[in-house]
């Protein structure tokens, strides 16, 4: 049994209370490692290490900071196969997907912000003949990063890399459900020569470790990705403490398909956008809205493709839908499928748990599921399910499509399919969504602002947005 530890002050250390939690492999339902059940004492220790490391790290020459972050990026790349295997084991996603997407992206995150810090600059405003203003963008101090289980190392590093690049020191918590690659990141940082205390990783539950990070008076900013309810709780705690907050929360993303779109392209990509990573990506399109003239043609072709997706062992290269991350999450998804039927939905394919044989006999799997016949206001079409479940609905006008797309509390990402350029601009402009993809999905440029509006979050990550979030602007006005 592998026993993980916290990474504090440059060392792997056990939790103070010496208590551990089981870590389960979703594909087998078996416990395969144990992680620290840390509490506020461990967070306090991590904070002290981060505080002590801050003066030197914030003054470290940019080239040296760059060199260390690049080294972390290279080491992640070097350990690609092992990290992909462990990410898959922790999360249930296919190994090939972790190898192709999650781990390369974690490496890119460090590379992107290593190079970014070398180019980050701030503004100056001249008042001719009177004064010159320049804006310093200084690191904040000790910051907290809290991330979810769906893209574990990918999202963990998406916060940590800019926080470190900007000169902060960090206390971070990965999801207790997927701790393994975060633990490995600690080891990689030691190997890369990151000075002790610059990054500290505390494992444990949200209510114990997460809350301790959010409520710690010395931690000045919180970057959080996770569910909307947790985000609201964090905001309620942190706002009166005047902490900087970046909240990347849930979604109920629409995919708008107009009749003039390239049908084959739509079909191919919408399989991905609905079901990649078992539908457990905040950007997945779980509501597919189709213009009436092609509704039936799309529905039949889509259902045919989805029912052929292989649900299976994440180690199998043929698997397209791996294991659901936990038993509780599997039960939640199945309860939504039951609800959809109560609400009058017709299951066109899937709808049931899958029992595999052999190694994965006790794992948690669900058939990819397509549902039609539900109206816009029902819970299935309003609440985030975060699993391999999509609904399809017809629309007859652009206005109706926009009303349906915008008619939820969330506003994270939308995909629009059309070959009409004017419509693409018009619709993109009218959508209440932080991200709009036209004729593509999940095409990411790390320089662009990333995040949602409405109940999908506050603030943006990515590019300079993250560097600005992790720095405090200070204007200096000098009379000439
Ligand atoms: P949760 O909100 O349950 O958890 C996210 C993180 O917060 C975990 O590390 C969790 O710890 C921790 N946490 C839980 N309670 C608290 C608390 N009271 N104080 C501080 N931290 C806490 O989300 P999930 O892990 O279930 O992730 C799925 C959600 O994340 C979905 O809603 C999805 O849409 C969203 N998401 C959003 C993205 C975006 O960019 N907008 C990207 C990816 C996911 P623990 O797990 O140990 O309990």
């Amino acid at each position: 049994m592998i026993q993980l530890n916290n990474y504090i002050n440059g060392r792997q250390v056990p939790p103070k209370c010496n208590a551990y939690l089981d870590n389960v492999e979703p594909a087998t339902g078996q416990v395969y490692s144990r992680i620290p059940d840390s509490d506020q004492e461990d967070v306090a220790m991590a904070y002290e290490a981060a505080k002590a490391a801050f003066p030197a790290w914030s003054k470290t020459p940019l080239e040296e900071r760059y060199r260390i972050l690049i080294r972390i990026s290279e080491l992640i790349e070097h350990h690609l196969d092992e990290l992909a295997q462990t990410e898959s084991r922790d999360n249930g996603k296919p190994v090939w997907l972790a190898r192709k997407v999650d781990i390369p992206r974690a490496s890119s995150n460090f590379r992107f912000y290593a190079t970014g810090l070398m180019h980050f600059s701030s503004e100056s405003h001249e008042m001719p003949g009177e004064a010159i203003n320049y804006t310093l963008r200084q690191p904040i101090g000790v910051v907290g990063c809290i991330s979810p289980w769906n893209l574990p190392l990918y999202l963990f590093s998406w916060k940590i890399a800019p926080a470190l690049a900007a000169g902060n020191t960090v206390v971070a918590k990965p999801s207790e459900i997927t701790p393994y690659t975060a633990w490995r990141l600690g080891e990689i940082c030691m190997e890369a020569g990151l000075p002790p205390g610059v990054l500290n990783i505390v494992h444990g539950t949200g209510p114990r470790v997460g809350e301790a990070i959010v409520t710690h008076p010395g931690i000045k900013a919180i970057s959080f990705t996770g569910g909307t309810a947790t985000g609201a709780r964090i905001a309620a705690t942190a706002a009166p403490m005047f902490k900087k907050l970046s909240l990347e929360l849930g979604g109920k993303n629409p995919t708008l398909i107009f009749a003039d779109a390239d049908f084959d392209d739509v079909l191919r990509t919408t399989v991905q956008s609905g079901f990649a990573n078992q539908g457990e990506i905040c950007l997945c399109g779980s509501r597919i809205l189709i213009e009436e003239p092609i509704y039936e043609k799309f529905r039949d072709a889509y259902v045919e493709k989805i029912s052929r997706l292989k649900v299976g062992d994440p180690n199998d290269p043929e698997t397209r839908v791996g294991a659901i991350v936990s038993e509780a999450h599997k039960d939640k998804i199945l309860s939504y499928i039951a609800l959809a039927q109560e609400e009058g939905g017709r299951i066109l394919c899937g709808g049931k748990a899958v029992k595999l044989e052999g190694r994965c006999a006790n794992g948690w799997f669900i058939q990819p599921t397509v549902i039609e016949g539900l109206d816009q206001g029902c819970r299935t079409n309003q609440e985030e399910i975060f699993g391999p479940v999509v609904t399809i609905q017809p629309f007859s006008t652009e206005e109706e499509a926009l009303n349906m797309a915008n008619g939820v509390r969330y506003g994270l990402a939308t995909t629009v399919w059309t070959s009409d350029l004017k419509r693409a601009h018009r619709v993109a402009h009218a959508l209440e969504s932080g991200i709009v993809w036209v004729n593509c999905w999940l095409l990411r440029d790390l320089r662009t602002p990333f995040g949602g509006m409405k109940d999908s979050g506050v603030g943006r990550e990515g590019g300079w947005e993250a560097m600005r979030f992790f720095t405090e602007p200070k204007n200096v006005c000098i009379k000439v």
Side-chain angles (χ1 to χ4, degrees):
M1 181 76 62
I2 309 157
Q3 185 151 301
L4 312 185
N5 276 313
N6 293 328
Y7 171 62
I8 297 177
N9 209 17
R11 291 185 306 123
Q12 300 285 6
V13 291
K16 285 218 161 175
C17 61
N18 215 26
Y20 286 81
L21 300 162
D22 287 341
N23 183 26
V24 181
E25 178 176 2
T28 63
Q30 304 299 312
V31 176
Y32 83 101
S33 68
R34 287 154 54 80
I35 68 154
D37 186 10
S38 313
D39 60 23
Q40 78 267 24
E41 280 199 67
D42 302 285
V43 171
M45 201 162 87
Y47 169 75
E48 290 305 328
K51 186 178 166 203
F54 178 71
W57 180 248
S58 58
K59 291 190 194 78
T60 299
L62 298 185
E63 280 214 27
E64 176 65 4
R65 242 189 258 164
Y66 160 84
R67 203 186 56 71
I68 294 172
L69 296 186
I70 282 288
R71 184 80 187 117
I72 296 173
S73 159
E74 287 168 352
L75 285 169
I76 293 174
E77 222 163 55
H78 179 74
H79 293 290
L80 171 66
D81 287 332
E82 175 232 324
L83 290 170
Q85 192 73 47
T86 49
E87 197 73 299
S88 159
R89 193 171 191 195
D90 242 7
N91 170 276
K93 67 180 70 207
V95 175
W96 65 261
L97 183 66
R99 201 174 184 289
K100 190 171 154 209
V101 177
D102 293 71
I103 307 304
R105 174 59 192 277
S107 173
S108 295
N109 289 341
F110 278 101
R111 191 168 44 249
F112 180 80
Y113 281 106
T115 54
L117 76 88
M118 298 289 282
H119 299 269
F120 189 46
S121 60
S122 62
E123 315 85 75
S124 125
H125 299 89
E126 188 187 8
M127 300 161 76
E130 265 188 289
I132 176 102
N133 294 270
Y134 63 87
T135 308
L136 291 172
R137 292 195 176 268
Q138 297 171 306
I140 299 170
V142 181
V143 300
C145 298
I146 303 175
S147 61
W149 47 257
N150 62 326
L151 301 166
L153 191 60
Y154 174 137
L155 291 176
F156 201 48
S157 54
W158 183 231
K159 300 180 176 306
I160 289 170
L164 297 182
N168 302 283
T169 54
V170 175
V171 177
K173 184 193 111 53
S175 171
E176 114 212 16
I177 303 172
T178 52
Y180 202 96
T181 50
W183 173 70
R184 285 288 289 119
L185 180 65
E187 295 198 320
I188 285 172
C189 288
M190 289 194 263
E191 197 182 337
L194 188 73
V198 170
L199 171 63
N200 304 275
I201 299 170
V202 186
H203 296 275
T205 65
R208 275 154 76 94
V209 175
E211 290 259 358
I213 292 174
V214 174
T215 52
H216 195 296
I219 298 180
K220 305 274 180 43
I222 303 291
S223 174
F224 169 81
T225 298
T228 294
T230 318
R233 188 183 166 92
I234 289 174
T237 309
M241 299 174 83
F242 307 110
K243 296 192 180 198
K244 272 185 115 173
L245 272 180
S246 165
L247 302 173
E248 299 298 335
L249 310 176
K252 188 74 183 174
N253 306 315
T255 301
L256 276 62
I257 304 174
F258 288 93
D260 60 6
D262 177 331
F263 191 82
D264 293 340
D265 202 4
V266 175
L267 199 56
R268 202 172 34 248
T269 310
T270 309
V271 171
Q272 293 303 318
S273 63
F275 296 96
N277 205 50
Q278 299 72 246
E280 296 166 340
I281 302 182
C282 54
L283 305 166
C284 276
S286 54
R287 295 184 294 137
I288 305 176
L289 314 177
I290 307 140
E291 200 170 7
E292 258 162 13
I294 60 160
Y295 180 79
E296 283 170 14
K297 181 181 172 199
F298 176 84
R299 177 193 63 194
D300 296 347
Y302 192 61
V303 167
E304 209 266 318
K305 267 195 177 300
I306 300 304
S307 47
R308 281 198 281 117
L309 292 178
K310 179 171 178 183
V311 181
D313 187 338
N315 290 339
D316 180 348
E318 299 298 313
T319 291
R320 289 295 164 272
V321 181
I324 301 299
V325 73
S326 67
E327 188 167 24
H329 194 54
K330 181 205 75 174
D331 291 343
K332 177 186 153 186
I333 296 167
L334 290 175
S335 78
Y336 268 105
I337 295 173
L339 173 71
Q341 288 167 290
E342 281 163 32
E343 290 181 323
R346 284 183 299 284
I347 310 270
L348 299 177
C349 66
K352 293 200 164 58
V354 178
K355 195 94 188 121
L356 297 180
E357 292 184 348
R359 188 183 94 85
C360 297
N362 294 316
W364 307 308
F365 297 86
I366 296 182
Q367 295 169 332
T369 301
V370 181
I371 305 170
E372 78 168 352
L374 288 167
D375 65 36
Q376 168 67 16
C378 71
R379 282 183 56 205
T380 311
N381 272 332
Q382 291 289 323
E383 297 176 15
E384 186 183 43
I385 301 174
F386 214 55
V389 180
V390 304
T391 64
I392 57 172
Q393 299 171 82
F395 67 83
S396 53
T397 64
E398 187 178 304
E399 192 190 359
E400 190 190 4
L402 278 169
N403 285 337
M404 289 163 84
N406 290 338
V408 291
R409 63 193 279 233
Y410 297 106
L412 186 54
T414 305
T415 296
V416 182
W417 290 95
T418 180
S419 56
D420 178 339
L421 187 59
K422 282 189 181 160
R423 172 156 49 208
H425 286 296
R426 203 166 52 233
V427 170
H429 194 266
L431 282 164
E432 295 167 359
S433 184
I435 299 157
V436 178
W437 278 295
V438 178
N439 298 332
C440 58
W441 178 72
L442 209 62
L443 193 53
R444 292 280 292 118
D445 180 330
L446 302 189
R447 294 169 300 180
T448 58
F450 177 89
M453 50 175 77
K454 294 160 63 177
D455 289 9
S456 289
V458 178
R460 294 290 183 274
E461 298 186 308
W464 297 142
E465 301 277 345
M467 293 297 276
R468 291 199 187 103
F469 173 75
F470 283 117
T471 49
E472 196 69 78
K474 179 193 288 173
N475 193 67
V476 181
C477 176
I478 301 181
K479 194 168 180 225
V480 293

